[in-house]
Amino acid sequence: MYESDLHTPTRKYTCSNFDYIKSKQVEDRAIIGNDDRIILQDYQYTLSPYRSVCMIITTFNEEPNTGHLGTGFLVGPHTILTACHVLYDVSEDHNYGWFDNINIRFGTYVDGNNVQIYPYGEITTFSSASCGSYRDTQNTNDDWALLELTTDIGNNLGFFGVTSSLSDDDSVWAIGYSGDLGGNMGYSYGEADDVETYQFEFDCDMTGGCSGGAVIKTSNNLVCGIVSSESWFWFFGFHYTNHACKVSQYIVAWIEERQFNYS
């Protein structure tokens, strides 16, 4: 990690009004076969572990009325783990860099009256954001970022543990704010495949907006990956695979250091 990888605020960040919200993503995450996502019921958003997952909406000064949707989750009292591309723009048609404004909403959902509910309020300030080499590589291997908050909200909501232990065919489940669910959270079960040191594939159903969401081992409910991107190939039809940045020992060390150094 380099000093230039740190993003620190120079003012209070807020972005309350948008013309529209779109998914901030490299590619749309894929529905693989039937859509097997389970959409949370309203009461579940205040239960563990769902309340530790947050909707992240970022804006850039170049597009002040466009909110970009992503997902993050607590891995410490004040630390959010997410995908780097949720916070840092390296799109082909523009390169805005770090976000300019942010809204973080834990456990938020849309009720039966189509009103978005924020059971834990809205966070618009942060201490710092840091990432690996994704800005240069745009590679799933590097698609992770840590966002440090100025509040210990994780002590109230709880936070996920992480693990770098993962093998092919391990059962996993993934959770995130899919853009097509209208502001609600969904999760899906599947398996890990082609596990490498810094990335793996998985077949849970995810769509745009889930970027930065947690991929969790079902055997111990520890986070093993961060939802990143999807790929496809044609063979008498489209075949899709979802990709995750694997939680490596390097990421584990960074999370632990953040907790130790925080004051």
Side-chain angles (χ1 to χ4, degrees), residues 2-194:
Y2 302 95
E3 188 66 26
S4 60
D5 289 327
L6 298 178
H7 177 43
T8 55
T10 57
R11 61 185 184 280
K12 180 177 180 179
Y13 288 76
T14 181
C15 50
S16 300
N17 301 305
F18 312 109
D19 290 340
Y20 63 100
I21 296 175
K22 63 182 180 180
S23 301
K24 184 70 178 68
Q25 57 201 3
V26 178
E27 299 283 352
D28 285 337
R29 256 43 69 214
I31 300 298
I32 300 171
N34 295 326
D35 187 348
D36 296 322
R37 288 175 298 172
I38 301 169
I39 303 174
L40 267 63
Q41 301 297 309
D42 291 0
Y43 74 90
Q44 292 180 289
Y45 286 87
T46 57
L47 301 179
S48 177
Y50 312 115
R51 64 190 182 194
S52 301
V53 179
C54 61
M55 174 185 291
I56 297 176
I57 301 175
T58 56
T59 62
F60 300 86
N61 287 340
E62 292 83 353
E63 296 181 299
N65 296 319
T66 300
H68 299 270
L69 174 65
T71 302
F73 51 95
L74 286 163
V75 290
H78 45 79
T79 305
I80 293 172
L81 183 59
T82 186
C84 185
H85 78 262
V86 170
L87 306 179
Y88 194 93
D89 179 82
V90 287
S91 304
E92 290 183 3
D93 53 343
H94 49 68
N95 189 333
Y96 296 153
W98 287 108
F99 63 90
D100 292 296
N101 307 284
I102 192 166
N103 288 70
I104 301 166
R105 303 165 181 169
F106 286 98
T108 188
Y109 64 96
V110 176
D111 68 10
N113 296 317
N114 204 33
V115 176
Q116 193 167 85
I117 306 298
Y118 312 154
Y120 305 104
E122 186 173 53
I123 298 173
T124 59
T125 60
F126 68 101
S127 175
S128 67
S130 55
C131 66
S133 302
Y134 176 81
R135 298 176 305 165
D136 299 320
T137 67
Q138 289 89 64
N139 194 302
T140 295
N141 288 5
D142 306 310
D143 196 8
W144 63 275
L146 294 177
L147 185 65
E148 296 299 322
L149 304 178
T150 57
T151 172
D152 283 339
I153 191 172
N155 286 334
N156 296 323
L157 302 186
F159 48 87
F160 289 92
V162 296
T163 180
S164 60
S165 174
L166 185 68
S167 301
D168 287 355
D169 301 323
D170 278 351
S171 295
V172 296
W173 62 287
I175 188 166
Y177 278 98
S178 295
D180 64 332
L181 295 183
N184 288 315
M185 192 188 302
Y187 63 93
S188 175
Y189 291 94
E191 292 184 347
D193 192 20
D194 288 341

Side-chain angles (χ1 to χ4, degrees), residues 191-203:
E191 292 184 347
D193 192 20
D194 288 341
V195 177
E196 301 177 3
T197 303
Y198 300 109
Q199 70 170 323
F200 62 92
E201 298 178 359
F202 65 104
D203 58 1

Side-chain angles (χ1 to χ4, degrees), residues 228-261:
S228 175
S229 59
E230 61 92 11
S231 62
W232 61 270
F233 65 92
W234 173 268
F235 185 73
F236 298 103
F238 289 101
H239 300 267
Y240 293 92
T241 300
N242 285 318
H243 297 265
C245 175
K246 185 177 179 293
V247 173
S248 63
Q249 287 286 359
Y250 183 75
I251 294 175
V252 172
W254 267 97
I255 293 172
E256 292 176 346
E257 181 177 346
R258 287 296 184 272
Q259 311 322 312
F260 181 78
N261 288 338

